Amino acid sequence: MFDHQEGQSLYNAGLLGPDLIRNASKGQFKPNWKEDLHPIEWHRGAQQHLLRDAWFHQHPFFKRVYDENRDSVRERFESVQIPRFYFGLHVAIEMSLDKALLTLHPQAAQHMYSDLETAFPQIAQWLNEQEFPQAISGVERFIDSRYIERYQADSDLAYGLMRVYMQTGASRQEWSAEQLNAVAGIMGQLVKSNQKHLPSLCP
């Protein structure tokens, strides 16, 4: 959202590239994004994603939101026996920031999916060239689901965090209703915290 370039669909798709390909390949394919490979705009977007990610985690905004919520989130995770509190809070802050930003820019998700649809043939060709075509169907599922356009309810964010836990092996099975409800409450708390501190990130 910070680095979107109007009319540059492949570059904009590349801004999602590292996360998109990791999820589509279930973590089995780890390209070297730092290399300037063909197609160049796809890799340029991915490289900007990595730079922005490093910038975000060093920004005072992240520390403020993390510190403000650390103790209460740790207590909630422990009360419903969800492991790896630090990992969960880290990802949950990013997910809740997405929701806070989408509240300010409601058309951003639609633009993102439009760029992905336009860029998809080149992404599929790149996956074939990288000899990992099995990730193509995962990219298609992400586009077809239009999940982020439904990123409105805290329960959706909780389910999304559960999926991240399962994809990374942090959880072996789906969470119970009690665990999902607890995480939904955490997400609501984090969205409000993100909104409060957002002016320091987007002055």
Side-chain angles (χ1 to χ4, degrees), residues 117-148:
E117 288 171 347
T118 300
F120 176 74
Q122 288 171 279
I123 297 172
Q125 180 180 347
W126 176 79
L127 283 166
N128 276 317
E129 291 171 354
Q130 297 296 307
E131 299 182 353
F132 208 91
Q134 49 270 55
I136 294 174
S137 60
V139 175
E140 284 185 301
R141 282 194 300 273
F142 177 81
I143 297 172
D144 291 343
S145 73
R146 305 189 80 84
Y147 175 72
I148 295 177

Side-chain angles (χ1 to χ4, degrees), residues 67-200:
D67 289 347
E68 185 172 279
N69 295 279
R70 177 187 56 219
D71 293 341
S72 61
V73 172
R74 179 195 289 128
E75 182 180 337
R76 194 79 63 86
F77 270 52
E78 290 176 350
S79 72
V80 292
Q81 298 182 320
I82 294 177
R84 296 181 62 181
F85 141 78
Y86 172 79
F87 169 73
L89 177 55
H90 180 106
V91 177
I93 288 174
E94 294 185 355
M95 295 178 72
S96 55
L97 174 60
D98 286 344
K99 180 175 178 179
L101 289 170
L102 286 170
T103 301
L104 291 176
H105 306 283
Q107 299 303 312
Q110 180 181 344
H111 293 157
M112 182 197 75
Y113 282 113
S114 177
D115 284 332
L116 282 171
E117 288 171 347
T118 300
F120 176 74
Q122 288 171 279
I123 297 172
Q125 180 180 347
W126 176 79
L127 283 166
N128 276 317
E129 291 171 354
Q130 297 296 307
E131 299 182 353
F132 208 91
Q134 49 270 55
I136 294 174
S137 60
V139 175
E140 284 185 301
R141 282 194 300 273
F142 177 81
I143 297 172
D144 291 343
S145 73
R146 305 189 80 84
Y147 175 72
I148 295 177
E149 288 185 337
R150 300 182 285 108
Y151 228 13
Q152 299 302 316
D154 295 333
S155 57
D156 294 332
L157 297 179
Y159 183 82
L161 183 60
M162 179 192 74
R163 297 304 305 171
V164 172
Y165 261 66
M166 295 183 70
Q167 287 168 356
T168 59
S171 286
R172 300 288 182 186
Q173 58 188 17
E174 293 192 354
W175 293 344
S176 67
E178 179 187 14
Q179 289 173 315
L180 286 168
N181 286 336
V183 175
I186 288 168
M187 289 298 188
Q189 170 185 323
L190 289 173
V191 169
K192 291 177 182 177
S193 185
N194 271 290
Q195 289 171 331
K196 180 172 77 173
H197 295 293
L198 204 51
S200 70

